[in-house]
Amino acid sequence: MAETMEDYKDELEASFRKVSEGDIISGTVIGVSEEEVTLDLKYYAQGVIKVGDLSNDPNFQVMEEVHPGDVIEATVVRVDDGEGNIQLSKKEANDILAWDKLKACLEEGTELSVKVAGIVPSGVVAYVEGIRGFIPASQLALSYVEATEEWLGKEVKVRVITVDESKKKLVLSAKVILKEQQQEEQNRKIGMLAPGTIMEGTVESLMPYGAFVDLGDGISGLVHISQISQRRIGKPSEVLSVGQSVKVKVLNTNDNKVSLSMKALEEEMVDVDRPRAVEEYVSHENASTSLGDLLSKIKL
């Protein structure tokens, strides 16, 4: 079969391509060793990145984290390293590209998986795109973490919450993801509550507009002041107190908020206790007596 110019497209592009120091280029990993990573740059020369130029993470393990087929962006340090290869640095490229990626992660709310690499006062350190990130102790879990040492080496799902390239500041949070998961689980539980269900709960707080009742399993509902009692009250504390056990009826779960009523139960009790109306006695006998009947019974 006759060869065409299309068959030599890659070679032709490589022949016209010019690589200069400072350029950021992309290559595919074709070799990994403890000392360096080799890249196919679709060029006459291969790219080489020394392990020390791969990441700022002191715990970086090249054999575990880089694999043949990975695509890496790196900065050209030297066009010829003395052995016919192009010397590259991923760390230098990161200083330019990583912050843009991190800003995109912040805007898009991207969920990232990171490994806790170090313990510092009031938190821990993890690396994203080779950039050192800080996870405050208040953002590691749903509640403040005192023993941060126990988190060393753990994989954590996080989101970027602060990116400041000028100050080289990157702040991450696992708490925001955990709170979302907690809310989703609570919404699922609330969705299972059927309107009309009668439940027992404990008054957990009183507000001018009503009372919040703890129904257990992490779910609370509001009894609006108009639903507390059949009689008109000025404030919930007139009939309720914090810690009091109450029976309530689920009115609705609109917008994942539980609306409750005590008044509805009172009304149902009144309906049950109300005596039936006395039936009027009606005789089937003729109640009227004619004058003739009376005269016929008189003996003269």
Side-chain angles (χ1 to χ4, degrees):
M1 187 172 65
E3 294 178 334
T4 66
M5 293 292 285
E6 189 67 27
D7 296 320
Y8 297 99
K9 181 180 177 183
D10 290 343
E11 287 82 355
L12 285 167
E13 287 181 357
S15 68
F16 288 111
R17 185 177 175 192
K18 181 175 174 57
V19 174
S20 304
E21 291 181 8
D23 289 351
I24 294 178
I25 59 178
S26 179
T28 303
V29 176
I30 55 174
V32 182
S33 73
E34 293 286 358
E35 292 77 34
E36 61 187 28
V37 171
T38 306
L39 305 180
D40 176 9
L41 304 174
K42 295 192 182 302
Y43 192 64
Y44 286 120
Q46 294 179 337
V48 172
I49 308 175
K50 299 296 182 184
V51 170
D53 291 323
L54 277 167
S55 175
N56 288 312
D57 184 350
N59 298 314
F60 182 80
Q61 299 291 324
V62 63
M63 300 301 290
E64 293 180 14
E65 301 185 44
V66 181
H67 308 93
D70 291 351
V71 176
I72 292 178
E73 289 179 297
T75 301
V76 176
V77 178
R78 292 167 62 192
V79 175
D80 189 340
D81 65 355
E83 297 180 6
N85 300 312
I86 298 175
Q87 185 178 339
L88 304 168
S89 171
K90 188 174 185 294
K91 283 166 64 171
E92 286 191 23
N94 265 353
D95 290 340
I96 300 169
L97 300 173
W99 290 102
D100 289 337
K101 292 180 182 178
L102 292 170
K103 288 173 187 174
C105 288
L106 175 64
E107 292 170 3
E108 296 165 11
T110 308
E111 187 174 301
L112 304 168
S113 181
V114 300
K115 182 184 286 187
V116 176
I119 308 299
V120 294
S122 303
V124 301
V125 169
Y127 287 82
V128 182
E129 296 291 337
I131 302 297
R132 183 180 185 273
F134 175 58
I135 310 176
S138 61
Q139 296 296 320
L140 261 176
L142 288 170
S143 56
Y144 190 90
V145 175
E146 295 286 352
T148 53
E149 299 81 9
E150 297 175 3
W151 289 74
L152 188 61
K154 284 188 177 181
E155 291 280 344
V156 185
K157 298 286 187 183
V158 297
R159 284 213 180 98
V160 176
I161 57 173
T162 302
V163 176
D164 189 335
E165 184 178 359
S166 63
K167 296 180 180 177
K168 303 298 180 187
K169 183 179 181 182
L170 171 63
V171 183
L172 310 170
S173 172
K175 184 177 182 177
V176 291
I177 294 175
L178 295 172
K179 285 188 76 173
E180 287 176 7
Q181 292 172 346
Q182 184 185 56
Q183 187 62 53
E184 287 173 7
E185 176 61 17
Q186 187 175 35
N187 291 348
R188 185 189 67 79
K189 292 175 183 176
I190 290 173
M192 294 174 69
L193 291 179
T197 303
I198 296 172
M199 306 182 73
E200 289 191 11
T202 305
V203 178
E204 59 182 0
S205 63
L206 298 175
M207 300 293 173
Y209 52 84
F212 283 96
V213 176
D214 180 1
L215 300 173
D217 206 15
I219 299 174
S220 294
L222 173 66
V223 184
H224 189 268
I225 190 169
S226 63
Q227 293 295 323
I228 290 177
S229 176
Q230 280 189 305
R231 66 184 178 87
R232 191 178 184 86
I233 59 174
K235 52 186 179 180
S237 59
E238 290 179 20
V239 291
L240 294 173
S241 58
V242 174
Q244 180 180 342
S245 294
V246 292
K247 277 192 175 183
V248 292
K249 184 175 185 177
V250 178
L251 295 181
N252 63 68
T253 57
N254 299 339
D255 300 321
N256 292 311
K257 295 178 180 177
V258 184
S259 294
L260 305 169
S261 176
M262 295 169 61
K263 177 182 173 182
L265 291 178
E266 284 186 5
E267 290 171 348
E268 288 178 10
M269 290 299 293
V270 169
D271 288 340
V272 170
D273 294 339
R274 182 181 292 126
R276 294 181 181 179
V278 177
E279 294 182 4
E280 185 178 352
Y281 175 75
V282 178
S283 172
H284 295 290
E285 295 181 6
N286 190 351
S288 61
T289 304
S290 67
L291 181 61
D293 289 336
L294 289 171
L295 292 174
S296 67
K297 293 177 181 179
I298 298 175
K299 293 180 179 182
L300 298 175

